[in-house]
């Protein structure tokens, strides 16, 4: 566990049945995904990020809200955070990474763009046996002082949930699965927890 950036990686986050249903939903709608965009202008930038994304969780939207809401106390404890005023609604996105896909080092909150994100919870799914290699999530230390911290590399194991604070520097390492069909891609559901806006 890095000293500066606590993270939490929980295996078997959902029941086997539910994880299979969500996986089938993500795999069965290949035609709905579009190329992921990055930055203020929301442009595709293949130097920065290659993946396919879809923002409609359908019947699983409410279920994921319930599961993540129920998990808050444990999440805050794991991240050593005090509670904060949250927006009820999560920002949800399914991302599918095929052969050669990646997301270069970045943070998930930038002022004026995605600055209201506080927590990044990523729920991973893949076919069994796993058909890709690579695709680890690498968390970088801030390195204000040399030797402060070490990067960590996390495997996106099926039915696991990774949680970290959205200001933490992280990267999706390139996925390798030449010739793979969509069902064998690396799937993740990004669940961003936003802080409540001052008016609410
Ligand atoms: O898929 C992952 O492991 C993380 C994805 C990510 O960093 C993002 O979409 O901002
Ligand atoms: Fe990210």
């Amino acid at each position: 566990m890095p000293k500066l950036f606590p993270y939490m990686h929980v295996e078997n986050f959902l029941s086997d049945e539910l994880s299979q249903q969500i996986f089938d939903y993500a795999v069965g709608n290949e035609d709905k995904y579009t190329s992921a965009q990055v930055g203020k202008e929301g442009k595709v930038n293949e130097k920065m990020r290659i993946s396919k994304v879809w923002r409609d969780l359908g019947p699983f939207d409410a279920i994921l809200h319930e599961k993540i809401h129920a998990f808050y106390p444990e999440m805050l404890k794991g991240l050593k955070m005090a509670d904060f005023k949250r927006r009820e609604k999560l920002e949800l996105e399914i991302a599918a990474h095929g052969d050669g896909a990646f997301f270069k080092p970045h943070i998930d909150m930038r002022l004026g763009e995605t600055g209201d994100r506080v927590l990044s919870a990523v729920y991973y799914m893949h076919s069994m046996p796993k058909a890709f290699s690579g695709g680890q999530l690498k968390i970088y230390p801030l390195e204000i002082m040399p030797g402060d911290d070490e990067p960590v590399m996390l495997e996106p194991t099926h039915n696991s949930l990774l949680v970290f604070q959205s200001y933490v520097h992280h990267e999706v390492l390139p996925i390798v699965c030449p010739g793979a069909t969509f069902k064998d891609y690396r799937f993740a559901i990004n669940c961003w927890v936003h802080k409540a806006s001052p008016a609410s």
Side-chain angles (χ1 to χ4, degrees), residues 103 106 108 170:
F103 197 166
H106 66 279
D108 286 353
H170 59 281

Side-chain angles (χ1 to χ4, degrees), residues 22 25-27 33 49 52-57 92-96 125 187-190:
I22 303 183
Y25 176 80
V27 168
Y33 291 70
R49 182 185 191 189
K52 295 279 183 192
V53 294
W54 180 37
R55 284 190 168 234
D56 184 1
L57 270 293
L92 300 176
E93 173 188 79
I94 312 180
M125 301 177 294
F187 287 87
I189 304 177
N190 291 311

Side-chain angles (χ1 to χ4, degrees), residues 14 33 48 56 60 62 67 70 94 97 107 128 133 146 150 159 175 186 193:
L14 302 175
Y33 291 70
M48 186 67 200
D56 184 1
F60 301 105
K67 298 288 177 192
I94 312 180
H97 288 72
I107 61 172
M128 301 283 193
S133 58
E150 296 289 328
N159 196 16
I175 281 76
R186 173 196 190 272
V193 181

Side-chain angles (χ1 to χ4, degrees), residues 154-186:
L154 299 156
E155 289 293 337
T157 46
H158 180 73
N159 196 16
S160 69
L161 183 79
L162 174 67
V163 191
F164 52 90
Q165 295 193 48
S166 301
Y167 65 77
V168 170
H169 214 186
H170 59 281
E171 168 177 21
V172 180
L173 295 176
I175 281 76
V176 183
C177 53
T181 53
F182 195 60
K183 72 168 178 33
D184 288 328
Y185 283 18
R186 173 196 190 272

